[in-house]
Amino acid sequence: MLTKRIIPCLDIKDGRTVKGTNFIHLRDAGNPVELAVRYCEEGADELVFLDITATTEKRKTLAKLVREIATHINIPFTVGGGINTKEDVSVLLENGADKISINTSAVKNPELINELAKNFGSQCVVVAIDTKIIDGISRVVTHGGRTPTEINTTDWAKEVADRGAGEILLTSMENDGTKNGFALDITKQVSNLVNIPVIASGGAGKMEHFTSVFKLADADAALAASIFHFSEISIPDLKRYLHDEQIAVRL
């Protein structure tokens, strides 16, 4: 049985880790290098780094900071934000990223997914999907949650998998930062539709929320930020809890 993964997320703005609610109201959450080291030592399975304003500010991801984090950790490291070309990917991989995450650029140019999968392998390509319920339908939003689209979330998930993505990072905008739990319905729909791993994101507030997203929504991994950044839940405690709940995790 494949183990379920616990993934802390570093949302980066101006070189600092930040965390908000519903993608806004950002507050400082600490030094990203120090947090990365802590999570590695605590037993996180992977680490995600998202330069959350790179796309809206039309600039590249912070390669120097990526390199600094990568030299301090020994777990898989996914980096996203402002990636538009295979050259952007090459720079990040050269600076220590193991995988890259694309979101807005994939929606604008779906062929980019095929190109990156062909050049770097599907295992390197994570497509992040930010989803929001608009007029009763789960739709894709881009530009850090600022721009709604007409694209149905499940249709887009199927397309990115067919185009060669190796994983989907699915974030519910309604749930993000609320600590009220993951969006189980859309996570389950996407998980059951595609044959690649789905990382659930948005809404983790207590340990039971992780149990629900693994058992009820069939997620392969769960990503969280503030509960880890502010030491509300420790990764070792969470993993022991999940193990006791008969969920396979790496202890």
Side-chain angles (χ1 to χ4, degrees):
M1 180 190 296
L2 286 175
T3 57
K4 302 294 188 181
R5 290 169 291 149
I6 301 299
I7 306 176
C9 180
L10 303 175
D11 291 322
I12 305 297
K13 185 176 190 292
D14 301 327
R16 295 285 293 180
T17 309
V18 296
K19 188 56 194 151
T21 303
N22 309 128
F23 288 31
I24 55 175
H25 306 307
L26 301 178
R27 60 173 171 153
D28 188 89
N31 180 299
V33 179
E34 292 173 2
L35 286 170
V37 170
R38 189 180 105 201
Y39 295 142
C40 191
E41 291 172 347
E42 287 184 354
D45 297 295
E46 300 190 16
L47 184 68
V48 169
F49 171 115
L50 298 177
D51 187 347
I52 60 172
T53 56
T55 297
T56 53
E57 294 174 5
K58 295 184 171 58
R59 58 175 173 75
K60 303 302 183 187
T61 306
L62 307 165
K64 183 182 176 190
L65 182 55
V66 168
R67 182 169 67 248
E68 190 176 357
I69 292 173
T71 58
H72 286 86
I73 63 174
N74 59 2
I75 54 177
F77 185 29
T78 300
V79 177
I83 298 169
N84 296 294
T85 67
K86 64 181 182 181
E87 288 75 23
D88 294 340
V89 175
S90 294
V91 168
L92 294 172
L93 297 181
E94 288 163 7
N95 280 280
D98 300 294
K99 299 185 262 190
I100 58 86
S101 171
I102 53 175
N103 186 336
T104 300
S105 59
V107 175
K108 290 165 64 175
N109 174 24
E111 194 64 36
L112 179 64
I113 304 168
N114 304 68
E115 181 183 13
L116 298 184
K118 177 183 175 185
N119 281 274
F120 304 102
S122 289
Q123 82 290 338
C124 178
V125 182
V126 179
V127 175
I129 301 176
D130 294 335
T131 181
K132 185 175 185 179
I133 297 173
I134 301 172
D135 296 329
I137 299 171
S138 291
R139 299 196 186 277
V140 175
V141 288
T142 61
H143 298 85
R146 293 169 176 82
T147 308
T149 74
E150 293 293 312
I151 302 169
N152 184 294
T153 300
T154 51
D155 291 346
W156 179 234
K158 181 76 167 62
E159 180 174 346
V160 304
D162 290 344
R163 285 182 176 276
E167 281 185 290
I168 289 172
L169 170 55
L170 182 69
T171 302
S172 163
M173 280 197 62
E174 283 86 10
N175 297 55
D176 177 72
T178 64
K179 301 184 184 175
N180 292 328
F182 294 97
L184 300 181
D185 288 349
I186 188 63
T187 303
K188 184 176 178 66
Q189 287 175 40
V190 172
S191 295
N192 293 344
L193 182 67
V194 300
N195 59 358
I196 58 175
V198 173
I199 305 165
S201 167
K206 53 187 180 180
M207 295 189 192
E208 291 85 349
H209 294 154
F210 290 86
T211 306
S212 298
V213 83
F214 290 139
K215 286 188 173 181
L216 303 179
D218 303 325
D220 297 276
L223 178 146
S226 60
I227 59 166
F228 296 144
H229 299 340
F230 303 115
S231 300
E232 295 166 29
I233 294 176
S234 80
I235 292 171
D237 287 349
L238 174 59
K239 286 193 163 189
R240 283 190 290 270
Y241 169 83
L242 293 172
H243 177 72
D244 291 343
E245 290 287 309
Q246 312 300 312
I247 295 170
V249 291
R250 182 179 64 88
L251 293 173

mmCIF file of all heavy atoms in Angstrom, residues 189-214:
data_model
loop_
_atom_site.group_PDB
_atom_site.id
_atom_site.type_symbol
_atom_site.label_atom_id
_atom_site.label_comp_id
_atom_site.label_asym_id
_atom_site.label_seq_id
_atom_site.Cartn_x
_atom_site.Cartn_y
_atom_site.Cartn_z
ATOM 1 N N GLN A 189 -14.013 13.873 -6.243
ATOM 2 C CA GLN A 189 -14.336 13.827 -7.672
ATOM 3 C C GLN A 189 -13.071 13.769 -8.521
ATOM 4 O O GLN A 189 -12.964 12.955 -9.449
ATOM 5 C CB GLN A 189 -15.154 15.055 -8.063
ATOM 6 C CG GLN A 189 -16.588 15.056 -7.564
ATOM 7 C CD GLN A 189 -17.291 16.361 -7.883
ATOM 8 O OE1 GLN A 189 -17.115 16.934 -8.959
ATOM 9 N NE2 GLN A 189 -18.069 16.866 -6.949
ATOM 10 N N VAL A 190 -12.116 14.652 -8.203
ATOM 11 C CA VAL A 190 -10.878 14.686 -8.991
ATOM 12 C C VAL A 190 -10.056 13.413 -8.761
ATOM 13 O O VAL A 190 -9.549 12.813 -9.710
ATOM 14 C CB VAL A 190 -10.067 15.951 -8.645
ATOM 15 C CG1 VAL A 190 -8.688 15.896 -9.302
ATOM 16 C CG2 VAL A 190 -10.814 17.199 -9.100
ATOM 17 N N SER A 191 -9.944 12.989 -7.506
ATOM 18 C CA SER A 191 -9.149 11.793 -7.191
ATOM 19 C C SER A 191 -9.668 10.565 -7.932
ATOM 20 O O SER A 191 -8.886 9.732 -8.407
ATOM 21 C CB SER A 191 -9.158 11.525 -5.688
ATOM 22 O OG SER A 191 -8.526 12.558 -4.974
ATOM 23 N N ASN A 192 -10.973 10.450 -8.026
ATOM 24 C CA ASN A 192 -11.570 9.285 -8.673
ATOM 25 C C ASN A 192 -11.587 9.387 -10.196
ATOM 26 O O ASN A 192 -11.796 8.386 -10.880
ATOM 27 C CB ASN A 192 -12.998 9.056 -8.155
ATOM 28 C CG ASN A 192 -13.027 8.642 -6.690
ATOM 29 O OD1 ASN A 192 -12.020 8.250 -6.121
ATOM 30 N ND2 ASN A 192 -14.187 8.743 -6.070
ATOM 31 N N LEU A 193 -11.343 10.583 -10.690
ATOM 32 C CA LEU A 193 -11.396 10.799 -12.138
ATOM 33 C C LEU A 193 -10.057 10.558 -12.821
ATOM 34 O O LEU A 193 -10.004 10.092 -13.962
ATOM 35 C CB LEU A 193 -11.854 12.243 -12.402
ATOM 36 C CG LEU A 193 -12.018 12.678 -13.854
ATOM 37 C CD1 LEU A 193 -13.176 11.928 -14.501
ATOM 38 C CD2 LEU A 193 -12.267 14.186 -13.929
ATOM 39 N N VAL A 194 -8.971 10.879 -12.129
ATOM 40 C CA VAL A 194 -7.642 10.809 -12.757
ATOM 41 C C VAL A 194 -6.837 9.638 -12.186
ATOM 42 O O VAL A 194 -7.129 9.134 -11.104
ATOM 43 C CB VAL A 194 -6.855 12.129 -12.555
ATOM 44 C CG1 VAL A 194 -7.608 13.289 -13.183
ATOM 45 C CG2 VAL A 194 -6.597 12.396 -11.079
ATOM 46 N N ASN A 195 -5.826 9.233 -12.937
ATOM 47 C CA ASN A 195 -4.994 8.103 -12.501
ATOM 48 C C ASN A 195 -3.620 8.564 -12.028
ATOM 49 O O ASN A 195 -2.652 7.810 -12.090
ATOM 50 C CB ASN A 195 -4.857 7.078 -13.637
ATOM 51 C CG ASN A 195 -4.223 7.691 -14.884
ATOM 52 O OD1 ASN A 195 -3.922 8.885 -14.914
ATOM 53 N ND2 ASN A 195 -4.028 6.874 -15.912
ATOM 54 N N ILE A 196 -3.536 9.815 -11.594
ATOM 55 C CA ILE A 196 -2.294 10.348 -11.035
ATOM 56 C C ILE A 196 -2.584 10.833 -9.615
ATOM 57 O O ILE A 196 -3.744 11.070 -9.259
ATOM 58 C CB ILE A 196 -1.722 11.502 -11.894
ATOM 59 C CG1 ILE A 196 -2.739 12.649 -12.036
ATOM 60 C CG2 ILE A 196 -1.285 10.984 -13.261
ATOM 61 C CD1 ILE A 196 -2.203 13.879 -12.774
ATOM 62 N N PRO A 197 -1.560 10.964 -8.772
ATOM 63 C CA PRO A 197 -1.795 11.390 -7.386
ATOM 64 C C PRO A 197 -2.415 12.779 -7.309
ATOM 65 O O PRO A 197 -2.095 13.670 -8.090
ATOM 66 C CB PRO A 197 -0.394 11.381 -6.771
ATOM 67 C CG PRO A 197 0.397 10.450 -7.626
ATOM 68 C CD PRO A 197 -0.147 10.614 -9.009
ATOM 69 N N VAL A 198 -3.296 12.938 -6.323
ATOM 70 C CA VAL A 198 -3.922 14.229 -6.051
ATOM 71 C C VAL A 198 -3.533 14.673 -4.638
ATOM 72 O O VAL A 198 -3.723 13.930 -3.674
ATOM 73 C CB VAL A 198 -5.459 14.151 -6.174
ATOM 74 C CG1 VAL A 198 -6.105 15.463 -5.730
ATOM 75 C CG2 VAL A 198 -5.862 13.822 -7.609
ATOM 76 N N ILE A 199 -2.978 15.877 -4.562
ATOM 77 C CA ILE A 199 -2.624 16.495 -3.281
ATOM 78 C C ILE A 199 -3.757 17.438 -2.898
ATOM 79 O O ILE A 199 -4.059 18.372 -3.638
ATOM 80 C CB ILE A 199 -1.307 17.289 -3.392
ATOM 81 C CG1 ILE A 199 -0.172 16.412 -3.921
ATOM 82 C CG2 ILE A 199 -0.927 17.905 -2.037
ATOM 83 C CD1 ILE A 199 1.051 17.203 -4.384
ATOM 84 N N ALA A 200 -4.376 17.188 -1.754
ATOM 85 C CA ALA A 200 -5.459 18.056 -1.282
ATOM 86 C C ALA A 200 -4.869 19.241 -0.532
ATOM 87 O O ALA A 200 -3.951 19.084 0.273
ATOM 88 C CB ALA A 200 -6.394 17.278 -0.370
ATOM 89 N N SER A 201 -5.422 20.423 -0.775
ATOM 90 C CA SER A 201 -4.911 21.637 -0.141
ATOM 91 C C SER A 201 -6.061 22.579 0.178
ATOM 92 O O SER A 201 -7.000 22.720 -0.604
ATOM 93 C CB SER A 201 -3.915 22.321 -1.086
ATOM 94 O OG SER A 201 -3.618 23.627 -0.658
ATOM 95 N N GLY A 202 -5.951 23.238 1.327
ATOM 96 C CA GLY A 202 -6.925 24.248 1.688
ATOM 97 C C GLY A 202 -7.879 23.799 2.764
ATOM 98 O O GLY A 202 -8.767 22.982 2.511
ATOM 99 N N GLY A 203 -7.689 24.291 3.996
ATOM 100 C CA GLY A 203 -8.688 24.066 5.029
ATOM 101 C C GLY A 203 -8.278 23.232 6.214
ATOM 102 O O GLY A 203 -9.066 23.056 7.146
ATOM 103 N N ALA A 204 -7.047 22.695 6.222
ATOM 104 C CA ALA A 204 -6.634 21.851 7.347
ATOM 105 C C ALA A 204 -6.620 22.651 8.644
ATOM 106 O O ALA A 204 -6.020 23.726 8.713
ATOM 107 C CB ALA A 204 -5.247 21.266 7.090
ATOM 108 N N GLY A 205 -7.282 22.146 9.668
ATOM 109 C CA GLY A 205 -7.314 22.840 10.952
ATOM 110 C C GLY A 205 -7.094 21.920 12.127
ATOM 111 O O GLY A 205 -6.642 22.356 13.187
ATOM 112 N N LYS A 206 -7.422 20.633 11.957
ATOM 113 C CA LYS A 206 -7.200 19.659 13.020
ATOM 114 C C LYS A 206 -6.893 18.300 12.401
ATOM 115 O O LYS A 206 -7.094 18.093 11.197
ATOM 116 C CB LYS A 206 -8.399 19.585 13.959
ATOM 117 C CG LYS A 206 -9.739 19.347 13.300
ATOM 118 C CD LYS A 206 -10.857 19.476 14.327
ATOM 119 C CE LYS A 206 -12.228 19.244 13.678
ATOM 120 N NZ LYS A 206 -13.318 19.364 14.661
ATOM 121 N N MET A 207 -6.419 17.399 13.243
ATOM 122 C CA MET A 207 -5.947 16.117 12.718
ATOM 123 C C MET A 207 -7.054 15.333 12.018
ATOM 124 O O MET A 207 -6.812 14.638 11.026
ATOM 125 C CB MET A 207 -5.331 15.300 13.845
ATOM 126 C CG MET A 207 -4.075 15.927 14.444
ATOM 127 S SD MET A 207 -3.257 14.794 15.587
ATOM 128 C CE MET A 207 -2.078 15.906 16.375
ATOM 129 N N GLU A 208 -8.279 15.451 12.530
ATOM 130 C CA GLU A 208 -9.391 14.707 11.930
ATOM 131 C C GLU A 208 -9.619 15.094 10.472
ATOM 132 O O GLU A 208 -10.116 14.279 9.679
ATOM 133 C CB GLU A 208 -10.672 14.961 12.727
ATOM 134 C CG GLU A 208 -10.684 14.350 14.119
ATOM 135 C CD GLU A 208 -10.021 15.219 15.180
ATOM 136 O OE1 GLU A 208 -9.360 16.222 14.829
ATOM 137 O OE2 GLU A 208 -10.174 14.888 16.365
ATOM 138 N N HIS A 209 -9.261 16.321 10.118
ATOM 139 C CA HIS A 209 -9.436 16.755 8.731
ATOM 140 C C HIS A 209 -8.556 15.930 7.781
ATOM 141 O O HIS A 209 -8.952 15.668 6.644
ATOM 142 C CB HIS A 209 -9.106 18.239 8.586
ATOM 143 C CG HIS A 209 -10.057 19.133 9.306
ATOM 144 N ND1 HIS A 209 -9.704 20.390 9.765
ATOM 145 C CD2 HIS A 209 -11.363 18.962 9.665
ATOM 146 C CE1 HIS A 209 -10.751 20.944 10.357
ATOM 147 N NE2 HIS A 209 -11.758 20.099 10.321
ATOM 148 N N PHE A 210 -7.387 15.536 8.245
ATOM 149 C CA PHE A 210 -6.501 14.709 7.417
ATOM 150 C C PHE A 210 -7.081 13.308 7.257
ATOM 151 O O PHE A 210 -7.049 12.735 6.168
ATOM 152 C CB PHE A 210 -5.097 14.654 8.035
ATOM 153 C CG PHE A 210 -4.349 15.956 7.956
ATOM 154 C CD1 PHE A 210 -4.514 16.940 8.934
ATOM 155 C CD2 PHE A 210 -3.488 16.218 6.907
ATOM 156 C CE1 PHE A 210 -3.840 18.140 8.871
ATOM 157 C CE2 PHE A 210 -2.803 17.427 6.830
ATOM 158 C CZ PHE A 210 -2.972 18.387 7.808
ATOM 159 N N THR A 211 -7.618 12.775 8.339
ATOM 160 C CA THR A 211 -8.273 11.462 8.253
ATOM 161 C C THR A 211 -9.379 11.502 7.205
ATOM 162 O O THR A 211 -9.497 10.607 6.360
ATOM 163 C CB THR A 211 -8.880 11.075 9.620
ATOM 164 O OG1 THR A 211 -7.882 11.152 10.621
ATOM 165 C CG2 THR A 211 -9.445 9.664 9.570
ATOM 166 N N SER A 212 -10.199 12.542 7.241
ATOM 167 C CA SER A 212 -11.323 12.649 6.311
ATOM 168 C C SER A 212 -10.865 12.727 4.864
ATOM 169 O O SER A 212 -11.431 12.060 3.992
ATOM 170 C CB SER A 212 -12.164 13.882 6.650
ATOM 171 O OG SER A 212 -12.720 13.786 7.938
ATOM 172 N N VAL A 213 -9.846 13.536 4.603
ATOM 173 C CA VAL A 213 -9.446 13.727 3.204
ATOM 174 C C VAL A 213 -8.785 12.473 2.638
ATOM 175 O O VAL A 213 -8.877 12.196 1.440
ATOM 176 C CB VAL A 213 -8.546 14.977 3.044
ATOM 177 C CG1 VAL A 213 -7.075 14.695 3.364
ATOM 178 C CG2 VAL A 213 -8.696 15.574 1.654
ATOM 179 N N PHE A 214 -8.152 11.673 3.506
ATOM 180 C CA PHE A 214 -7.562 10.419 3.042
ATOM 181 C C PHE A 214 -8.611 9.322 2.912
ATOM 182 O O PHE A 214 -8.643 8.594 1.916
ATOM 183 C CB PHE A 214 -6.451 9.964 3.990
ATOM 184 C CG PHE A 214 -5.210 10.825 3.945
ATOM 185 C CD1 PHE A 214 -4.542 11.165 5.107
ATOM 186 C CD2 PHE A 214 -4.712 11.285 2.736
ATOM 187 C CE1 PHE A 214 -3.398 11.953 5.069
ATOM 188 C CE2 PHE A 214 -3.568 12.070 2.685
ATOM 189 C CZ PHE A 214 -2.909 12.407 3.860
#
